[in-house]
Amino acid sequence: SYEYPHADRLVLDDFDLHVRAGESVAFVGPSGAGKSTILSLLIGFIRPTSGRILVDGKDLADVDINDFRRHIAVVPQKTLLFSGSLRDNIAYGMPDVTDEQIDRVIAEVGLEDLVSGLPDGLNTRLGEHGDRLSGGQKQRVAIARALIRNPRLVIFDEATSALDSFSEKQVQQAMDKVMDRCTTFVVAHHLSTVKNVDRIVVINHGTIVESGSYEELLAKKGEFYRLKVMQS
């Protein structure tokens, strides 16, 4: 459970979830349901008011948080790019990355078209905040940046919510590559982006109200079905 200081109610109430290594899990639900709080707990920004978070059987409170975070990559809603080269943006914080590793992640997230269209390829400077790139291209660069770290856990926080449908599809394909490689958590507003996850967890008022695959939850015609109809 979790309660923010000076709040009058629990944001998460007896939230209980077991995730297998390599599984992809999406959290969906209305605004204020507790999705962002779950991510903050996973990353270690906050600790549960009561209960524990276990990672490989170890209480996260007893783990060196900086060592733990070295195994995590986060792809946020708005990607932070700087005015350096495309290569520098992908390899950010990883000075020993090889060209072969860069080429591999570029292929995995489908950025070959971007690289081939830039005047100096990987060495092209992107401009302030990556202003030479579209929103979808920026997000795929962010996913390449995540993969180059070879993480064990990747978190997508509303990674497609600000994109048009074409860019969203391209980013979704890149996300699928990540889900094939490591444990993945997704917070999504657009429910079409969670079709391929192993499990969808529907949250409301800080508790789990439904859990299952995309098809299973639609067939139940419960809370997830109601959310999907509202987006149709």
Side-chain angles (χ1 to χ4, degrees):
S1 298
Y2 186 78
E3 181 179 1
Y4 284 103
H6 312 299
D8 58 359
R9 68 178 182 87
L10 291 171
V11 181
L12 295 176
D13 187 6
D14 196 25
F15 187 90
D16 190 8
L17 181 69
H18 178 263
V19 178
R20 301 182 304 275
E23 187 177 10
S24 55
V25 177
F27 299 117
V28 304
S31 297
K35 303 185 295 297
S36 296
T37 302
I38 293 170
L39 297 191
S40 293
L41 287 163
L42 282 172
I43 299 170
F45 290 151
I46 56 177
R47 291 184 176 178
T49 305
S50 63
R52 300 184 299 165
I53 299 174
L54 301 179
V55 181
D56 292 344
K58 298 179 181 179
D59 192 330
L60 191 57
D62 299 328
V63 173
D64 184 313
I65 196 64
N66 291 320
D67 181 59
F68 171 67
R69 287 175 182 161
R70 280 194 281 270
H71 300 284
I72 298 177
V74 180
V75 180
Q77 178 179 348
K78 292 185 178 181
T79 302
L80 297 176
L81 301 181
F82 51 89
S83 60
S85 70
L86 175 58
R87 187 190 194 284
D88 290 341
N89 272 278
I90 292 175
Y92 180 70
M94 304 283 289
D96 298 325
V97 167
T98 66
D99 288 341
E100 288 74 17
Q101 290 173 300
I102 294 280
D103 290 340
R104 174 175 55 81
V105 298
I106 284 173
E108 284 186 308
V109 302
L111 280 173
E112 301 101 324
D113 57 337
L114 170 63
V115 176
S116 63
L118 292 174
D120 296 313
L122 278 170
N123 295 318
T124 302
R125 296 185 69 84
L126 300 184
E128 194 68 28
H129 306 302
D131 58 11
R132 299 184 65 166
L133 306 183
S134 68
Q137 289 170 334
K138 290 179 182 179
Q139 288 302 80
R140 283 185 286 159
V141 170
I143 296 172
R145 180 189 287 172
L147 284 178
I148 204 72
R149 299 169 60 85
N150 196 28
R152 294 180 60 190
L153 189 157
V154 176
I155 294 171
F156 291 98
D157 186 7
E158 298 276 13
T160 66
S161 62
L163 303 179
D164 59 72
S165 57
F166 177 74
S167 297
E168 180 182 304
K169 184 175 181 179
Q170 290 181 310
V171 172
Q172 178 61 55
Q173 291 170 343
M175 289 172 62
D176 290 344
K177 295 289 186 180
V178 177
M179 289 187 275
D180 288 340
R181 286 182 49 173
C182 54
T183 307
T184 310
F185 291 98
V186 181
V187 166
H189 173 69
H190 296 164
L191 301 184
S192 57
T193 64
V194 299
K195 284 184 178 180
N196 297 333
V197 301
D198 296 320
R199 184 164 32 142
I200 298 170
V201 176
V202 185
I203 305 168
N204 205 349
H205 299 297
T207 61
I208 298 174
V209 295
E210 287 180 339
S211 179
S213 69
Y214 186 87
E215 291 77 13
E216 288 170 346
L217 294 182
L218 284 182
K220 284 183 179 180
K221 294 194 173 182
E223 183 69 13
F224 182 79
Y225 179 83
R226 186 184 67 81
L227 291 171
K228 187 70 175 67
V229 169
M230 289 174 62
Q231 290 190 6
S232 300

